[in-house]
Amino acid sequence: MKKITILLMFLVNVVAFAQTKRPLYVYNYTQFEVEFQINTVVETGDWGDYPILKSDNTYVISPYSNFEKVNLSVNGVAFAAPSTPAIAIWDRKTSSGAPWMLTPPVLGQAVFGPTQKWHFIKKELQYNGVGSYLSGNIGFEGNTQFDSFDEQYIGAPFDTTVNVQWFETVDDTDPTNVIITTYILFGEF
């Protein structure tokens, strides 16, 4: 009986201190500017579950560059992590009828970071600041990818195919410190 009690205490402590970190990497390997807006949702939820946080503005990743939102010393989504371009403010909605509220990154990190996951990215490609190619969303709904892994723009004036992929890797070698890394890649061929 004593061994069972000790085992239960150990398991409660492991669960209580388990952390899931959620770094995000967006790579643009194209001649296009990628204009994007990031959205998160509660980790155990799906679209329509609250709270939802999204970047307040749209941001641009220049051709052949990247965007990272990474801080492996915090639990959950790293709202306050430095990035280029910097996300200065997040919008937060706590229920379907509630208004969107401005949320500073530090507050977003402290209150919502541990409970959120990357949900989708709203994206649009432009060429020299002009045009709208491949606009729409890519991400996950539950465990199901929505807006296919591969999207294409073929034809004049670019005569190119752009491929967009969203995938996640899980490093759970340490069950008290799980890292779920989200990668979004824009490429062309």
Side-chain angles (χ1 to χ4, degrees):
M1 185 69 176
K2 189 176 184 179
K3 288 181 182 179
I4 292 173
T5 303
I6 292 171
L7 178 62
L8 286 174
M9 288 173 54
F10 172 76
L11 289 174
V12 167
N13 284 329
V14 166
V15 170
F17 293 104
Q19 294 190 14
T20 302
K21 294 164 177 40
R22 296 189 166 274
L24 170 70
Y25 298 90
V26 183
Y27 296 99
N28 180 12
Y29 298 120
T30 73
Q31 62 186 317
F32 299 94
E33 291 111 15
V34 175
E35 185 175 298
F36 71 99
Q37 181 182 49
I38 304 171
N39 291 258
T40 70
V41 69
V42 65
E43 184 167 352
T44 58
D46 208 341
W47 184 248
D49 291 334
Y50 295 90
I52 297 171
L53 281 87
K54 65 177 182 173
S55 53
D56 185 47
N57 294 308
T58 54
Y59 298 89
V60 175
I61 304 172
S62 300
Y64 308 104
S65 63
N66 64 298
F67 170 86
E68 299 177 357
K69 203 71 168 145
V70 179
N71 182 347
L72 294 181
S73 66
V74 300
N75 191 16
V77 170
F79 290 108
S83 61
T84 303
I87 298 177
I89 198 83
W90 293 84
D91 284 336
R92 167 177 43 106
K93 190 169 191 165
T94 55
S95 67
S96 64
W100 287 98
M101 296 175 277
L102 298 179
T103 305
V106 173
L107 177 64
Q109 183 64 58
V111 177
F112 301 101
T115 63
Q116 296 284 295
K117 65 180 178 181
W118 301 112
H119 186 53
F120 72 89
I121 185 170
K122 185 179 288 193
K123 44 95 179 120
E124 178 178 291
L125 275 61
Q126 298 182 342
Y127 188 76
N128 290 331
V130 178
S132 175
Y133 311 98
L134 294 179
S135 61
N137 301 332
I138 185 169
F140 281 93
E141 191 164 324
N143 292 322
T144 306
Q145 174 89 31
F146 65 88
D147 210 15
S148 75
F149 267 56
D150 300 312
E151 298 183 36
Q152 299 179 346
Y153 178 79
I154 305 173
F158 308 108
D159 197 26
T160 188
T161 300
V162 175
N163 177 288
V164 183
Q165 295 183 340
W166 171 304
F167 62 95
E168 295 179 340
T169 62
V170 178
D171 178 354
D172 58 0
T173 52
D174 177 357
T176 63
N177 190 24
V178 176
I179 301 172
I180 301 175
T181 306
T182 301
Y183 298 92
I184 303 168
L185 308 174
F186 293 83
E188 64 182 304
F189 54 95

